[in-house]
Amino acid sequence: MAKVVEKIPGSSRAQIDLGDCYRAQNDLEKALASYVKAGELDPEDQVAFSKAGHANSFLGNFDAARKNFQDSRAVSEFGIGSYDFEAFTYLYEGDHKKALSFLQDAAKTVGGMDIPESNKTGVKMNCTFNCALIAMHHGDTEHLKEVVEMMRPLSAQIGKDLGSNAARLNQKANMHYWDAIASASEGNFEEAVVKAEMIKTTLESINDPNKLRRYHRAHAFVNYKQENYEKALEHASELNQDNVYDRYWMARINKMAGNKDIAMDIFKEIADNNFNSVGYALIRNEVKEMLEAAE
């Protein structure tokens, strides 16, 4: 990529790709410099600003990261990009309540914009999903139940907008999943199991080898909450090995099941993920602090 930049020094995308290489090496300062250069080369490239925001987030430069994401949003289509990434800066700062508040305010802001309804729905659903995961992770059951109800009409609208039967069934299964998580968080485990089983029934006609990941994720959570760790492990083994939050739960369950070496290996693997997502934002500080304490 350095050679590409040398050949086409005016290309913002070449600089972004070079920055990605540095970020993969965990050389965040060099990655940031490349992303900043990309933004200077093309001030209309929202990706350049967004990726600078990722690097600044991981470096702990939270005010700078928020500015990056705001700059990215300003040049994004309809001005609705990077709300989620800006919210994650508060998670990295350790303030999940501020992240929840920001996302809810963002959903309201987008709801009042004069833009296509489908774009509004997508952003509002993304904000609401992130709120649900944050509330679940922090054991905020009342907030989780409230957010799940906010998600319900958005999910139905997305299924309708996409138009296919598969899309409608997937959205229906998505709500069964969140209903199961909300019930389990409240301690209503029998109800949670019923909701989890409805995921499987709903998706029976769908031809997708990964269609039952939500089913297994729900059952892993229910069994973890009930301290049935071996059963939770059975379901966790079916989760997405490339999803940092799924890997985190696999580590947590293994730790409680007595498989501490396996758990620590997974925690070490995910500590420096360097891909900005709500899952990573939720677990990064916890995992790094735990590993430091174990040294």
Side-chain angles (χ1 to χ4, degrees):
M1 285 317 307
K3 281 289 187 185
V4 174
V5 168
E6 187 179 307
K7 294 289 187 182
I8 44 173
S11 168
S12 66
R13 289 306 167 111
Q15 285 286 352
I16 289 170
D17 289 344
L18 179 60
D20 289 347
C21 292
Y22 287 133
R23 197 168 89 189
Q25 293 177 316
N26 209 30
D27 194 339
L28 296 173
E29 293 286 1
K30 284 187 177 180
L32 177 59
S34 291
Y35 297 144
V36 169
K37 180 65 175 177
E40 292 170 352
L41 290 169
D42 185 356
E44 297 299 312
D45 191 335
Q46 69 182 80
V47 176
F49 295 114
S50 182
K51 293 211 172 189
H54 300 329
N56 271 319
S57 294
F58 299 143
L59 285 166
N61 305 328
F62 301 119
D63 287 338
R66 286 189 274 272
K67 179 63 166 61
N68 292 143
F69 294 132
Q70 290 159 16
D71 290 342
S72 177
R73 183 158 59 251
V75 296
S76 68
E77 186 179 23
F78 304 122
I80 56 176
S82 292
Y83 280 118
D84 49 354
F85 295 132
E86 189 171 349
F88 301 163
T89 63
Y90 298 112
L91 295 178
Y92 292 123
E93 275 188 306
D95 192 344
H96 78 277
K97 291 183 179 179
K98 188 67 179 286
L100 284 169
S101 177
F102 179 87
L103 286 165
Q104 289 179 311
D105 287 346
K108 290 177 183 176
T109 297
V110 171
M113 289 182 175
D114 184 18
I115 60 175
E117 285 298 323
S118 60
N119 294 90
K120 288 185 186 182
T121 302
V123 175
K124 287 162 66 178
M125 184 64 174
N126 189 42
C127 288
T128 309
F129 166 82
N130 287 328
C131 282
L133 198 60
I134 293 167
M136 183 210 85
H137 186 85
H138 287 279
D140 189 346
T141 303
E142 289 307 309
H143 207 144
L144 174 60
K145 288 164 61 180
E146 176 186 331
V147 171
V148 169
E149 289 309 310
M150 291 168 61
M151 193 186 299
R152 205 175 303 282
L154 296 170
S155 180
Q157 187 60 49
I158 287 173
K160 183 179 179 181
D161 288 346
L162 291 173
S164 70
N165 186 53
R168 286 190 289 271
L169 291 176
N170 265 299
Q171 289 302 317
K172 190 175 179 180
N174 184 54
M175 292 317 306
H176 290 324
Y177 169 79
W178 282 112
D179 284 336
I181 295 299
S183 294
S185 296
E186 204 170 26
N188 297 329
F189 299 119
E190 289 186 10
E191 183 180 289
V193 168
V194 170
K195 295 294 186 181
E197 289 300 318
M198 290 173 72
I199 301 170
K200 192 174 188 177
T201 303
T202 299
L203 297 176
E204 189 173 3
S205 64
I206 302 296
N207 183 22
D208 179 355
N210 299 318
K211 67 183 181 182
L212 294 182
R213 280 179 174 168
R214 281 168 292 187
Y215 165 83
H216 290 295
R217 194 176 290 119
H219 275 293
F221 185 70
V222 170
N223 280 285
Y224 179 87
K225 295 285 285 185
Q226 292 181 291
E227 300 183 5
N228 299 328
Y229 300 122
E230 291 302 326
K231 193 69 176 176
L233 274 179
E234 289 180 25
H235 287 286
S237 67
E238 301 294 329
L239 300 184
N240 184 357
Q241 298 295 317
D242 295 322
N243 182 303
V244 69
Y245 197 63
D246 280 352
R247 296 289 287 162
Y248 164 82
W249 273 100
M250 291 171 75
R252 272 185 67 167
I253 296 167
N254 269 293
K255 183 179 180 181
M256 297 306 295
N259 306 321
K260 293 185 178 179
D261 289 344
I262 294 174
M264 290 302 288
D265 284 344
I266 298 174
F267 283 134
K268 289 174 184 175
E269 170 200 322
I270 64 177
D272 292 307
N273 179 264
N274 282 355
F275 283 91
N276 210 359
S277 66
V278 63
Y280 187 49
L282 284 168
I283 63 96
R284 187 178 192 249
N285 292 345
E286 175 191 338
V287 171
K288 283 183 174 290
E289 287 168 9
M290 181 189 63
L291 292 175
E292 287 173 5
E295 289 179 355

